[in-house]
PDB file of all heavy atoms in Angstrom:
ATOM      1  N   GLU A 125     222.004 126.712 251.558  1.00 97.00           N
ATOM      2  CA  GLU A 125     220.858 125.924 251.096  1.00 97.00           C
ATOM      3  C   GLU A 125     221.292 124.771 250.205  1.00 97.00           C
ATOM      4  O   GLU A 125     220.732 123.677 250.281  1.00 97.00           O
ATOM      5  CB  GLU A 125     219.857 126.822 250.375  1.00 97.00           C
ATOM      6  CG  GLU A 125     219.161 127.787 251.319  1.00 97.00           C
ATOM      7  CD  GLU A 125     218.298 128.806 250.607  1.00 97.00           C
ATOM      8  OE1 GLU A 125     218.310 128.867 249.353  1.00 97.00           O
ATOM      9  OE2 GLU A 125     217.593 129.560 251.314  1.00 97.00           O
ATOM     10  N   LYS A 126     222.281 124.982 249.360  1.00 97.00           N
ATOM     11  CA  LYS A 126     222.782 123.900 248.497  1.00 97.00           C
ATOM     12  C   LYS A 126     223.392 122.787 249.335  1.00 97.00           C
ATOM     13  O   LYS A 126     223.184 121.604 249.062  1.00 97.00           O
ATOM     14  CB  LYS A 126     223.788 124.451 247.491  1.00 97.00           C
ATOM     15  CG  LYS A 126     223.118 125.345 246.443  1.00 97.00           C
ATOM     16  CD  LYS A 126     224.118 126.034 245.552  1.00 97.00           C
ATOM     17  CE  LYS A 126     223.375 126.982 244.599  1.00 97.00           C
ATOM     18  NZ  LYS A 126     224.256 127.836 243.838  1.00 97.00           N
ATOM     19  N   GLN A 127     224.127 123.153 250.385  1.00 98.00           N
ATOM     20  CA  GLN A 127     224.696 122.135 251.274  1.00 98.00           C
ATOM     21  C   GLN A 127     223.586 121.439 252.066  1.00 98.00           C
ATOM     22  O   GLN A 127     223.631 120.233 252.277  1.00 98.00           O
ATOM     23  CB  GLN A 127     225.725 122.764 252.223  1.00 98.00           C
ATOM     24  CG  GLN A 127     226.434 121.772 253.109  1.00 98.00           C
ATOM     25  CD  GLN A 127     227.251 120.732 252.346  1.00 98.00           C
ATOM     26  OE1 GLN A 127     227.730 120.972 251.239  1.00 98.00           O
ATOM     27  NE2 GLN A 127     227.403 119.566 252.932  1.00 98.00           N
ATOM     28  N   ALA A 128     222.566 122.205 252.475  1.00 97.00           N
ATOM     29  CA  ALA A 128     221.437 121.617 253.205  1.00 97.00           C
ATOM     30  C   ALA A 128     220.721 120.585 252.343  1.00 97.00           C
ATOM     31  O   ALA A 128     220.356 119.512 252.832  1.00 97.00           O
ATOM     32  CB  ALA A 128     220.470 122.711 253.646  1.00 97.00           C
ATOM     33  N   VAL A 129     220.536 120.876 251.058  1.00 97.00           N
ATOM     34  CA  VAL A 129     219.895 119.914 250.150  1.00 97.00           C
ATOM     35  C   VAL A 129     220.691 118.620 250.135  1.00 97.00           C
ATOM     36  O   VAL A 129     220.133 117.527 250.235  1.00 97.00           O
ATOM     37  CB  VAL A 129     219.760 120.507 248.720  1.00 97.00           C
ATOM     38  CG1 VAL A 129     219.449 119.424 247.704  1.00 97.00           C
ATOM     39  CG2 VAL A 129     218.688 121.574 248.694  1.00 97.00           C
ATOM     40  N   LYS A 130     222.003 118.736 250.042  1.00 97.00           N
ATOM     41  CA  LYS A 130     222.848 117.546 250.008  1.00 97.00           C
ATOM     42  C   LYS A 130     222.717 116.735 251.300  1.00 97.00           C
ATOM     43  O   LYS A 130     222.519 115.519 251.266  1.00 97.00           O
ATOM     44  CB  LYS A 130     224.310 117.970 249.798  1.00 97.00           C
ATOM     45  CG  LYS A 130     225.267 116.831 249.697  1.00 97.00           C
ATOM     46  CD  LYS A 130     226.696 117.310 249.456  1.00 97.00           C
ATOM     47  CE  LYS A 130     227.581 116.092 249.298  1.00 97.00           C
ATOM     48  NZ  LYS A 130     228.821 116.196 250.003  1.00 97.00           N
ATOM     49  N   VAL A 131     222.808 117.416 252.427  1.00 97.00           N
ATOM     50  CA  VAL A 131     222.746 116.741 253.727  1.00 97.00           C
ATOM     51  C   VAL A 131     221.371 116.119 253.965  1.00 97.00           C
ATOM     52  O   VAL A 131     221.265 114.957 254.379  1.00 97.00           O
ATOM     53  CB  VAL A 131     223.122 117.729 254.853  1.00 97.00           C
ATOM     54  CG1 VAL A 131     222.842 117.143 256.225  1.00 97.00           C
ATOM     55  CG2 VAL A 131     224.589 118.135 254.735  1.00 97.00           C
ATOM     56  N   LEU A 132     220.301 116.878 253.711  1.00 97.00           N
ATOM     57  CA  LEU A 132     218.945 116.360 253.941  1.00 97.00           C
ATOM     58  C   LEU A 132     218.615 115.208 253.002  1.00 97.00           C
ATOM     59  O   LEU A 132     217.943 114.256 253.395  1.00 97.00           O
ATOM     60  CB  LEU A 132     217.907 117.474 253.795  1.00 97.00           C
ATOM     61  CG  LEU A 132     217.983 118.625 254.808  1.00 97.00           C
ATOM     62  CD1 LEU A 132     216.927 119.684 254.488  1.00 97.00           C
ATOM     63  CD2 LEU A 132     217.845 118.141 256.226  1.00 97.00           C
ATOM     64  N   SER A 133     219.105 115.262 251.759  1.00 94.00           N
ATOM     65  CA  SER A 133     218.816 114.171 250.814  1.00 94.00           C
ATOM     66  C   SER A 133     219.540 112.889 251.197  1.00 94.00           C
ATOM     67  O   SER A 133     219.136 111.809 250.785  1.00 94.00           O
ATOM     68  CB  SER A 133     219.163 114.587 249.385  1.00 94.00           C
ATOM     69  OG  SER A 133     220.547 114.778 249.246  1.00 94.00           O
ATOM     70  N   GLU A 134     220.588 112.995 252.006  1.00 95.00           N
ATOM     71  CA  GLU A 134     221.291 111.805 252.503  1.00 95.00           C
ATOM     72  C   GLU A 134     220.606 111.194 253.723  1.00 95.00           C
ATOM     73  O   GLU A 134     221.052 110.183 254.239  1.00 95.00           O
ATOM     74  CB  GLU A 134     222.736 112.174 252.847  1.00 95.00           C
ATOM     75  CG  GLU A 134     223.569 112.539 251.631  1.00 95.00           C
ATOM     76  CD  GLU A 134     224.927 113.142 251.991  1.00 95.00           C
ATOM     77  OE1 GLU A 134     225.170 113.473 253.186  1.00 95.00           O
ATOM     78  OE2 GLU A 134     225.744 113.309 251.065  1.00 95.00           O
ATOM     79  N   GLY A 135     219.536 111.826 254.210  1.00 94.00           N
ATOM     80  CA  GLY A 135     218.780 111.273 255.328  1.00 94.00           C
ATOM     81  C   GLY A 135     219.039 111.942 256.668  1.00 94.00           C
ATOM     82  O   GLY A 135     218.410 111.591 257.660  1.00 94.00           O
ATOM     83  N   THR A 136     219.945 112.894 256.727  1.00 96.00           N
ATOM     84  CA  THR A 136     220.178 113.618 257.969  1.00 96.00           C
ATOM     85  C   THR A 136     218.983 114.545 258.196  1.00 96.00           C
ATOM     86  O   THR A 136     218.586 115.264 257.279  1.00 96.00           O
ATOM     87  CB  THR A 136     221.487 114.438 257.879  1.00 96.00           C
ATOM     88  OG1 THR A 136     222.555 113.553 257.562  1.00 96.00           O
ATOM     89  CG2 THR A 136     221.786 115.153 259.180  1.00 96.00           C
ATOM     90  N   PRO A 137     218.400 114.539 259.403  1.00 96.00           N
ATOM     91  CA  PRO A 137     217.157 115.294 259.610  1.00 96.00           C
ATOM     92  C   PRO A 137     217.322 116.810 259.683  1.00 96.00           C
ATOM     93  O   PRO A 137     216.357 117.542 259.489  1.00 96.00           O
ATOM     94  CB  PRO A 137     216.624 114.755 260.935  1.00 96.00           C
ATOM     95  CG  PRO A 137     217.798 114.159 261.615  1.00 96.00           C
ATOM     96  CD  PRO A 137     218.755 113.722 260.552  1.00 96.00           C
TER      97      PRO A 137
END
Side-chain angles (χ1 to χ4, degrees):
E125 291 173 354
K126 291 173 184 171
Q127 184 62 28
V129 165
K130 182 179 183 223
V131 170
L132 296 177
S133 66
E134 293 170 349
T136 303

